[in-house]
Structures are given as structure tokens and as C-alpha cells.
């Protein structure tokens, strides 16, 4: 009797450790085919940094599986059933996807598999607690983070799954008649950004380094962009090179640490935004708070020029320009600075938050739809925060507070490299004037702050 076969379809879970899908596949069949689909619907909107990081993760995963990862290209609803038929698989195993596109893709693929006599089996997800699991006392989803985070922690999560590459007997994909032809992982695109090392090993090494050092000062250092006070784990979480459940298990060993607790809260934010997007998929492109549809925003030639200045890091506000230049150089930006540059775009320039969100998604190596879109809406005031719009970041005082010696600005804005201390945050006040090549401030913050509040009156009137 022939051995039974399953397919393990990798998506946002590019690792071999802590893989519940491996256990499900091993229970269902004697052997399994490892599959990744290069989906044009996801690849085409992605920037070069995210694609290159993905390609590196796929190469590392293929090595971990002994060269047995089959990579195909096309619409998953078409190619996955064809692969399953070619290898005689009756089950295709995945970690559930809760994003708007992923859910529809999986429903379409599930139907196509069923028509072909096979089953899509969902086991686990990219989250410690899957979206739609945590509810309030009335059985409704949470709309505010703090009560969600308490319920999320009370709900808890499973221990990491004990798996490695040997958990499953992997079949050599070879060439199967009637199946889609395997393709090579694409060569990296030419980009100007310097990316972190891809893959599971790099993820676990970075996490280990953070636990050994950075986590101790995380509570205070995470807001200081000149310091390496953050974990750098966001790209690895994006592609599932490590599961948050693994990280939470490690953090649990540091129960008394306030910094470890602060880091757990950041994981909870990621899971909250995933839940919000699951409940309101329209919020990926539209205001979560529909009252903000009444907020006037700028369009036209002047708006386009202002947006270009912001994108290029030539607003004349050093902390904003430093952040935008870091984004281009590293395909990443410090989280505190993300909030500063976002506030400047929507509340000093009065431009649509979705312009900035789209720009971030095009350049960020860790671009995650739920976290990115709802992080932008939190800053723009139209998201889940209860009283948000009056939070208007002053780019000068933010720079002086979180980059008090000006190290971060001098690193990314070489025109100001010779300006010492916090004076770098107001170069227009220098006795000898602004150093050559650096622009004048494009707006006056005090004036634009009031303009933002005046515009908000239209939102209040719509409530």
C-alpha cells in the first residue's frame, strides 16, 4: 500500500521550530510535501526590501528542510490543488490567516481543494491568541487596547510546539507530471536599504541577544532612537521566522522584570491590531472611526509637493527628516520616530494618513498590514484610541526629549553633523544660520497645530 501524503503550505510561518502544522501533518500522513507559493497578489504591492527579506527566509527554510521546499508561482486557489493532486495529498496543512486577503484566498483555495477531493486543515496562526478569541463580558470584540490586553493575558496561550525539521518525513518534490513546475526563489532585487539577516536562525540569534542584554533596559531605552533599545524582531515576526508564543515563553521566565512586561505589552498591541483588522477589514483602507470622514485633508499640487518633501526627509524638522532617511537606508524606522513622522504628516501637513501608511508599506521590511494601518490611525486620531486627536506631537520637543544629545539626527542628517547637542533640533536658531544644504522648516508647527484642532471641529460636529 502506497504511503499517504500531505502538503504543508508555508505562508507567514517560515521556520521549523514551534510548528503545530508539522504535528498535524505528521498525524495525517506518512510523509509531506513542503510548499511555498509566490503569490503575485502579495508580491506585486511589496517593496524590494520586503521581497528580498522573504526570499532570504525561503532559502534558509529550504536549507533547513534539506533542499526539499517546493516553490511555485501563481494564484494559490489554482496551484495548491494542482500540487496536492500531483502528489496524491488528501490534506493541505496551514496556519490560519486572519487578514482580509488571506481569509478570502484560503476560502477560495479550500473550495477548490474540496472540489478536487482534498481538505484544507488549519492549525494554529501567526499569533499567540488568534483573532476573535478574546471577547468582552458581553461576548463582543474589544475596541480599546487596555481591556483587550488584560483579557488577552488572562486567556493565555499554548506552550511552544516541540518540532524541528525531522518532525515530518519530507518528500523530495522532484518533477511531477501534471503538477505546476517548480521555480527558483527569485534573485534579490537591487535596493539601497541594508536589511537584517533573514531566516529562523538569525531570528533566534537576535532574540537570544536581546534577552541577554537589551530586554533589561527595554522599558526606558525603547523610546530613544539613538540607542539600540528595541529588539529588532518585527521583520522576523512578520514572516513567522519565530512565533510570538516562543518569545512569550522566554519572557515568562522574567516575571519580575518590568521591561519584560513592557515587551509583552508590545506583543499584545500586535495581536490587538490583528483582532481589530479581523473584525473590521475595511479599516485597512478607511477610517476606523467613520466620523473622521468629515475631517478636511489636503489634495492637489501643493499637497503632492509637501508629501514628496516628507518622503525625502527634507521638511526642515530634523527628527522628522532623520526618521524618513533612516526608512530609506534601513527599510525600518524606530517606533517612537514612526509616531513623530506620522503626526507631522497628518497634523502639520494635513495630508491623508493612508498616503503615509502606503509609503511605509512600500519601504518597510517589517510592513505588517494590521500593525501599520492601525498604528497610523492611532496617530491620526481616527483609530481605536478613545480621545486621540488632541495628541499632536511637537517635532521639536519630541526630538529634544527622545534624542537629547542629537545623536540620532546627526547620524541620519549629515548636513547637521557639525551641530552639537540638542541645538541640532532647531538649526534655524544657530548664530551662523542653518548649515548649507539643509532646508528651512516647511511649516510653523504652532500655526499648524491650531489648524489641525480647527479642522477637528468638523469631526466633533459630525458626532
Amino acid at each position: 500500500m502506497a504511503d499517504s501524503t500531505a502538503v504543508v503550505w508555508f505562508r507567514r510561518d517560515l521556520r521549523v521550530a514551534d510548528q503545530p502544522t508539522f504535528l498535524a501533518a505528521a498525524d495525517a500522513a506518512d510523509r509531506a510535501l513542503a510548499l511555498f507559493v509566490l503569490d503575485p497578489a502579495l508580491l506585486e504591492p511589496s517593496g524590494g526590501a520586503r521581497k528580498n527579506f522573504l526570499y532570504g527566509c525561503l532559502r534558509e527554510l529550504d536549507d533547513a528542510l534539506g533542499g526539499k521546499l517546493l516553490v511555485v508561482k501563481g494564484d494559490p486557489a489554482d496551484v495548491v490543488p494542482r500540487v496536492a493532486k500531483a502528489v496524491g495529498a488528501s490534506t493541505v496543512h496551514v496556519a490560519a490567516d486572519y487578514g482580509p486577503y488571506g481569509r478570502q484566498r484560503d476560502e477560495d483555495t479550500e473550495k477548490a481543494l474540496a472540489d478536487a477531493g482534498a481538505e484544507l486543515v488549519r492549525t494554529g496562526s501567526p499569533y499567540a491568541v488568534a483573532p476573535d478569541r478574546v471577547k468582552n463580558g458581553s461576548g463582543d470584540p474589544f475596541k480599546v487596547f487596555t481591556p483587550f490586553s488584560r483579557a488577552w493575558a488572562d486567556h493565555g496561550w499554548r506552550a511552544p510546539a516541540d518540532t524541528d525539521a525531522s518532525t515530518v518525513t519530507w518528500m523530495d518534490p522532484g518533477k511531477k507530471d501534471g503538477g505546476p513546475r517548480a521555480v527558483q526563489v527569485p534573485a534579490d532585487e537591487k535596493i539601497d536599504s541594508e536589511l537584517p539577516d533573514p531566516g529562523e536562525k538569525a531570528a533566534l540569534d537576535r532574540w537570544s541577544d536581546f534577552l541577554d542584554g537589551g530586554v533589561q533596559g527595554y522599558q526606558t531605552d525603547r523610546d530613544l532612537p539613538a540607542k539600540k533599545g528595541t529588539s529588532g524582531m518585527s521583520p522576523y515576526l512578520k514572516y513567522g521566522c519565530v512565533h510570538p508564543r516562543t518569545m512569550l515563553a522566554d519572557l515568562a521566565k522574567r516575571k519580575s522584570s518590568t521591561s519584560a512586561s513592557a515587551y509583552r505589552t508590545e506583543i499584545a498591541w500586535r495581536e490587538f491590531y490583528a483582532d481589530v483588522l479581523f473584525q473590521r477589514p475595511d479599516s485597512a483602507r478607511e477610517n476606523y472611526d467613520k466620523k473622521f470622514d468629515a475631517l478636511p485633508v489636503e489634495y492637489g499640487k501643493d499637497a503632492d509637493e509637501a508629501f514628496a518633501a516628507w518622503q525625502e526627509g527634507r521638511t526642515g524638522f530634523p527628527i522628522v527628516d532623520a526618521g524618513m532617511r533612516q526608512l530609506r537606508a534601513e527599510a525600518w524606522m524606530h517606533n517612537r520616530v514612526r509616531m513623530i513622522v506620522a503626526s507631522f504628516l497628518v497634523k502639520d501637513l494635513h495630508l491623508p494618513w493612508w498616503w503615509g501608511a502606503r509609503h511605509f508599506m512600500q519601504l518597510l521590511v517589517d510592513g505588517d498590514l494590521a500593525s501599520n494601518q492601525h498604528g497610523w490611525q492611532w496617530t491620526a486620531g481616527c483609530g481605536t484610541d478613545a480621545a486621540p486627536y488632541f495628541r499632536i506631537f511637537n517635532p521639536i520637543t519630541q526630538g529634544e526629549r527622545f534624542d537629547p544629545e542629537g545623536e540620532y539626527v546627526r547620524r541620519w542628517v549629515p548636513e547637521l553633523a557639525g551641530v552639537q547637542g540638542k541645538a541640532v533640533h532647531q538649526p534655524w536658531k544657530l548664530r551662523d544660520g542653518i548649515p548649507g544644504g539643509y532646508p528651512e522648516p516647511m511649516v510653523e508647527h504652532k500655526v499648524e497645530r491650531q489648524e489641525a484642532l480647527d479642522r477637528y471641529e468638523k469631526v466633533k460636529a459630525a458626532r
Side-chain angles (χ1 to χ4, degrees), residues 211-212 215-216 250-257 260-261 264:
L211 290 175
D212 289 342
V215 71
Q216 301 304 323
D250 290 335
L251 291 170
K253 301 170 186 175
R254 294 165 166 77
K255 290 182 179 178
S256 61
S257 167
S261 178
R264 270 191 295 271

Side-chain angles (χ1 to χ4, degrees), residues 400-416:
E400 291 175 342
R401 178 179 177 187
F402 296 109
D403 186 29
E405 298 303 319
E407 297 172 58
Y408 177 74
V409 165
R410 284 191 293 274
R411 182 184 309 162
W412 295 111
V413 185
E415 303 97 303
L416 303 178

Side-chain angles (χ1 to χ4, degrees), residues 271-314:
E271 307 224 335
F272 173 61
Y273 283 150
D275 190 76
V276 171
L277 185 61
F278 175 80
Q279 307 296 342
R280 286 279 307 278
D282 62 295
S283 64
R285 302 286 182 265
E286 303 171 8
N287 291 323
Y288 178 86
D289 184 346
K290 294 298 184 183
K291 298 294 191 300
F292 274 79
D293 291 351
L295 181 72
V297 294
E298 296 297 311
Y299 293 101
K301 180 181 178 183
D302 289 346
D304 291 342
E305 291 177 353
F307 184 58
W310 176 84
Q311 288 178 300
E312 295 164 11
R314 50 181 181 85

